[in-house]
Amino acid sequence: DTGVSQDPRHKITKRGQNVTFRCDPISEHNRLYWYRQTLGQGPEFLTYFQNEAQLEKSRLLSDRFSAERPKGSFSTLEIQRTEQGDSAMYLCASRTLAGANTGELFFGEGSRLTVL
Amino acid sequence: GENVEQHPSTLSVQEGDSAVIKCTYSDSASNYFPWYKQELGKRPQLIIDIRSNVGEKKDQRIAVTLNKTAKHFSLHITETQPEDSAVYFCAATVNQAGTALIFGKGTTLSVSS
């Protein structure tokens, strides 16, 4: 297992278009998180899953954003009708709740979105 | 919900000096406090963490202290080296619940030789 992978790494789109990002977590990790990071800021929580169940969504998350984890493995994050303010790095992370070091989040490399 | 404040936003030190970054949190239920390091263009990576049943933890040149009464925790880096230059984020959560880590805004540490 090579860690958390995200695809695509970069996406440039025009305002109003829809985009979708994919995240493949570490295989034994049942928790999967999406964060958004803009330049000079810390990762901002968007939503998270335990297996296929979406347990929490940030109050800041617009209804243009939707995330799924249909089989409890990979997850997708879709942004509809993109706006320039959506330009950011979208980070996926996973963790396990089992074992001694259950707190550590393992991040992917991120998907950078640029909305023109 | 949890809110994490981090200071300073930037920190410049000379090689060999110590660096201290401080964070405060709002949710008294939080019991897990990690620190992540993010180098330019890279993903955040865990460098050290502390749980609420201890007040201090050390790993070589890095240490973290926690004051649960005051709801603040700090990262201490001694004998800084140029490769310590990065952005450091603190975070807090209720660990057993598996809820999301809430991050501070980050501190950009620059170590000059």
Side-chain angles (χ1 to χ4, degrees), chain A residues 83-99:
Chain A
E83 302 173 355
Q84 288 185 324
D86 297 331
S87 295
M89 177 73 85
Y90 290 85
L91 292 167
C92 176
S94 69
R95 62 176 282 198
T96 178
L97 293 182

Side-chain angles (χ1 to χ4, degrees), chain B residues 16-17 20 35 37 42-43 47-48 52 54 57-59 61 78 85 98 108 112:
Chain B
D17 287 350
V20 180
W35 287 86
K37 176 183 181 181
K42 300 287 184 64
R43 71 187 83 187
I47 56 170
I48 194 168
S52 60
V54 298
K57 184 177 178 180
K58 191 173 182 180
D59 182 5
R61 297 185 296 108
T78 59
S85 297
T108 301
S112 53

Side-chain angles (χ1 to χ4, degrees), chain A residues 55-101:
Chain A
L55 295 189
E56 186 178 352
K57 290 168 55 174
S58 167
R59 292 189 301 273
L60 303 175
L61 199 63
S62 160
D63 57 7
R64 296 183 296 105
F65 288 68
S66 62
E68 293 182 340
R69 194 182 183 198
K71 297 181 180 179
S73 56
F74 74 92
S75 175
T76 58
L77 176 69
E78 181 183 17
I79 309 174
Q80 296 183 324
R81 305 181 302 282
T82 52
E83 302 173 355
Q84 288 185 324
D86 297 331
S87 295
M89 177 73 85
Y90 290 85
L91 292 167
C92 176
S94 69
R95 62 176 282 198
T96 178
L97 293 182
N101 295 314

Side-chain angles (χ1 to χ4, degrees), chain A residues 3-4 9 31 33 35 37 40-43 45 48 56 59 91 95 97 100-109, chain B residues 1 32 34 36 38 41-46 49 51 89 93-106:
Chain A
V4 179
R9 295 291 309 281
R31 289 284 175 123
Y33 304 79
Y35 286 85
Q37 187 176 29
Q41 300 295 315
F45 167 68
Y48 82 93
E56 186 178 352
R59 292 189 301 273
L91 292 167
R95 62 176 282 198
L97 293 182
N101 295 314
T102 64
E104 183 173 0
L105 271 185
F106 293 84
F107 282 90
E109 297 278 10
Chain B
Y32 176 66
Y36 282 76
Q38 187 174 30
K42 300 287 184 64
R43 71 187 83 187
Q45 291 191 297
L46 179 72
D49 57 17
R51 299 170 198 273
F89 297 100
T93 192
V94 180
N95 191 48
Q96 295 92 332
T99 50
L101 279 176
I102 302 302
F103 286 85
K105 292 187 183 300

Side-chain angles (χ1 to χ4, degrees), chain B residues 26-102:
Chain B
S26 61
D27 188 351
S28 57
S30 289
N31 60 3
Y32 176 66
F33 309 92
W35 287 86
Y36 282 76
K37 176 183 181 181
Q38 187 174 30
E39 297 176 351
L40 191 62
K42 300 287 184 64
R43 71 187 83 187
Q45 291 191 297
L46 179 72
I47 56 170
I48 194 168
D49 57 17
I50 192 167
R51 299 170 198 273
S52 60
N53 57 343
V54 298
E56 183 173 359
K57 184 177 178 180
K58 191 173 182 180
D59 182 5
Q60 299 182 357
R61 297 185 296 108
I62 295 174
V64 57
T65 59
L66 170 65
N67 183 328
K68 282 220 76 178
T69 302
K71 290 193 280 189
H72 66 72
F73 56 113
S74 300
L75 177 71
H76 304 253
I77 306 174
T78 59
E79 301 171 23
T80 53
Q81 301 167 3
E83 52 264 39
D84 294 330
S85 297
V87 182
Y88 292 81
F89 297 100
C90 61
T93 192
V94 180
N95 191 48
Q96 295 92 332
T99 50
L101 279 176
I102 302 302

Side-chain angles (χ1 to χ4, degrees), chain A residues 21-22 24 42 44 54 58 62 65 67 70 109:
Chain A
F21 302 115
R22 175 181 169 122
D24 286 88
E44 176 190 26
Q54 187 173 19
S58 167
S62 160
F65 288 68
E109 297 278 10

Side-chain angles (χ1 to χ4, degrees), chain A residues 11-23:
Chain A
K11 179 71 176 178
I12 300 174
T13 191
K14 293 183 179 179
R15 188 178 55 184
Q17 298 294 305
N18 300 342
V19 296
T20 299
F21 302 115
R22 175 181 169 122
C23 171

